[in-house]
């Protein structure tokens, strides 16, 4: 049974983490808005520890260690990643997705403007 709330994306992101305050090198192996699996190099980490990640140009993001297997840990972000952090980590696309707009044609009302416009078009046809 899958316990994750959101699908994770495989990554290989190197960055600095602080456990709880000491800086260590880390590699994020998979990532979602709610958490990640990371390899923490040279740190003794236990479930329940707070961890903070630093990525150049982005506000630090943090979480709680929920499991440990050797130097690989599972982290639940608290709070979830913000859109700018998700984009910086390659989780989201920075370009907005196009939105299709459907416009109903305006019914012909006739009148002087309509007649003038068709007269003008006829001169250039």
């Amino acid at each position: 049974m899958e316990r994750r709330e959101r699908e994770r994306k495989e990554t290989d992101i190197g960055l600095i983490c602080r456990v709880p305050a000491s800086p260590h090198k880390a590699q994020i192996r998979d990532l979602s808005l709610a958490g990640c699996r990371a390899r923490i190099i040279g740190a003794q980490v236990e479930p329940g520890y707070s961890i903070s990640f630093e990525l150049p140009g982005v506000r630090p993001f943090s979480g709680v260690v929920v499991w440990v297997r050797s130097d690989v840990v599972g982290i639940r972000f608290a709070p979830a990643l913000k859109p700018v952090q998700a984009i910086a980590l390659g989780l989201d696309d920075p370009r907005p997705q196009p939105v299709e707009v459907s416009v109903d044609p305006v019914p012909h009302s006739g009148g002087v403007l309509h007649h003038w416009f068709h007269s003008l078009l006829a001169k250039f046809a």
Side-chain angles (χ1 to χ4, degrees):
M1 179 169 99
E2 183 63 40
R3 293 182 300 176
R4 291 191 186 121
E5 293 177 24
R6 297 184 174 119
E7 187 174 325
R8 292 199 175 181
K9 177 181 178 181
E10 294 292 322
T11 65
D12 189 19
I13 301 169
L15 49 104
I16 299 295
C17 71
R18 295 192 176 273
V19 186
S22 296
H24 296 278
K25 289 183 180 180
Q27 288 180 307
I28 295 179
R29 300 297 176 95
D30 67 32
L31 175 70
S32 76
L33 294 174
C36 71
R37 177 175 51 99
R39 179 172 175 248
I40 310 297
I41 302 165
Q44 292 294 327
V45 182
E46 298 288 331
Y49 277 22
S50 293
I51 190 165
S52 177
F53 292 98
E54 299 173 359
L55 190 64
V58 179
R59 294 183 74 185
F61 52 99
S62 59
V64 175
V65 175
V66 292
W67 57 261
V68 177
R69 291 187 195 112
S70 184
D71 62 348
V72 178
V73 299
I75 298 159
R76 182 178 55 239
F77 297 138
L81 292 178
K82 298 192 178 342
V84 70
Q85 294 164 328
I87 290 168
L89 291 165
L91 193 59
D92 281 344
D93 190 352
R95 297 172 304 232
Q97 297 299 315
V99 176
E100 294 228 5
V101 178
S102 175
V103 179
D104 293 331
V106 177
H108 178 300
S109 62
V112 176
L113 185 58
H114 178 74
H115 174 71
W116 173 82
F117 182 70
H118 280 290
S119 296
L120 184 63
L121 283 178
K123 292 187 189 269
F124 291 103

